[in-house]
Amino acid sequence: MSRKIEVEYNDLEKTKKFVEKNWRIALVIAGAAGAVGAAIWLTARYLREKRKRDINHESALRMIEDEVEASKGKTAVVLETGTYLGQIAGEEGEVAMSELSSQMEEGEAKEALEVLKSVITANRKK
């Protein structure tokens, strides 16, 4: 039992360090796309760094990061990119967003991740 708690604690610490390191970068990269764009970029990067993936999945996540950077705040593009992230990541993406949100200190960031998670969940149920 203590092994599971230790692993969960280590995972939370890794997630916290990831958020501290990458949230400001995500905001700068997302630019006018704001917190939602940053949440999409952060989630894609988190999924890529969390574990090894096959080349197609890795490329798709990198493309999502690039799309956020290139979106220049166009809401439709950002939402399409978030929807695509949901299609690629599925349930793992929802879990990643929850993990990231739990380690966020900024209310706007938490809200953006929760909104994105809701959009992805709704699209997956269709």
Side-chain angles (χ1 to χ4, degrees), residues 49-64:
E49 290 187 12
K50 192 166 182 174
R51 68 176 172 88
K52 290 244 184 223
R53 301 181 181 280
D54 66 54
I55 190 114
N56 292 332
H57 204 193
E58 176 79 14
S59 295
L61 291 170
R62 281 182 189 269
M63 186 182 78
I64 288 169

Side-chain angles (χ1 to χ4, degrees), residues 11-84:
D11 288 347
L12 287 176
E13 280 300 308
K14 286 179 184 176
T15 302
K16 184 175 183 169
K17 287 178 183 176
F18 176 86
V19 167
E20 289 171 356
K21 175 184 170 192
N22 290 291
W23 178 245
R24 299 286 175 220
I25 295 168
L27 284 172
V28 170
I29 287 172
V36 174
I40 293 167
W41 184 91
L42 189 72
T43 303
R45 176 62 59 98
Y46 182 70
L47 288 168
R48 275 195 326 107
E49 290 187 12
K50 192 166 182 174
R51 68 176 172 88
K52 290 244 184 223
R53 301 181 181 280
D54 66 54
I55 190 114
N56 292 332
H57 204 193
E58 176 79 14
S59 295
L61 291 170
R62 281 182 189 269
M63 186 182 78
I64 288 169
E65 291 173 33
D66 293 343
E67 283 290 323
V68 170
E69 187 172 355
S71 71
K72 304 295 182 218
K74 296 176 186 163
T75 304
V77 173
V78 172
L79 291 175
E80 285 177 21
T81 304
T83 302
Y84 182 58

Side-chain angles (χ1 to χ4, degrees), residues 3-15:
R3 172 82 175 128
K4 182 178 180 185
I5 292 170
E6 186 178 307
V7 169
E8 287 177 5
Y9 177 76
N10 288 338
D11 288 347
L12 287 176
E13 280 300 308
K14 286 179 184 176
T15 302

